[in-house]
Amino acid sequence: MKYFAVFLSMKDEELSRVHRPEHLEFLARQREAGSVLMNGRFADGAGGLIIYRTEDTESAVALVKQDPYISLGARDYEIHEWDMETNYEF
C-alpha cells in the first residue's frame, strides 16, 4: 500500500459549511474501509489534510474525486505520494 497526502484548500466557505456533514460521512466510510489513515482541518481555516492509503495514485485520485467537498465544488485539492516514516531517531 502507498500513502497519499491530500490538501483540501478552501474554495467556497459557504459550500464547505453546507456540505461538511456529507464530507465527514464520506471520510468515516473510507476510514472503515481502510482507505483513510487520518484527517483534520487546519486551525487557520485554510482547508484540511487527509492521508489516504491506496494501491496507487489513480486509486487515490478516484477517492478524492468522490469526496463531496470536491465533487460539489467546495474545495480544491493537491495530492502527493507520501513516504511515511515509522522509525524516527531523535
Side-chain angles (χ1 to χ4, degrees):
M1 289 296 231
K2 296 181 179 183
Y3 296 92
F4 297 88
V6 179
F7 295 88
L8 297 181
S9 57
M10 186 63 69
K11 184 175 175 181
D12 186 310
E13 287 185 35
E14 179 63 18
L15 284 177
S16 290
R17 186 186 62 74
V18 168
H19 297 297
R20 182 170 174 73
E22 296 158 83
H23 164 72
L24 294 176
E25 183 179 309
F26 169 79
L27 291 178
R29 286 193 314 269
Q30 295 311 314
R31 186 181 301 277
E32 285 179 19
S35 299
V36 167
L37 180 64
M38 63 182 71
N39 62 280
R41 59 183 167 180
F42 298 128
D44 65 2
L49 172 70
I50 303 167
I51 305 296
Y52 283 98
R53 180 177 27 211
T54 66
E55 292 293 326
D56 53 36
T57 303
E58 294 78 18
S59 299
V61 169
L63 280 174
V64 171
K65 289 182 176 182
Q66 292 175 39
D67 185 331
Y69 269 177
I70 300 304
S71 65
L72 298 171
R75 305 279 177 102
D76 285 323
Y77 74 92
E78 182 179 332
I79 187 169
H80 299 272
E81 187 172 345
W82 184 42
D83 290 329
M84 185 174 73
E85 295 286 333
T86 56
N87 297 316
Y88 292 106
E89 291 187 32
F90 294 97

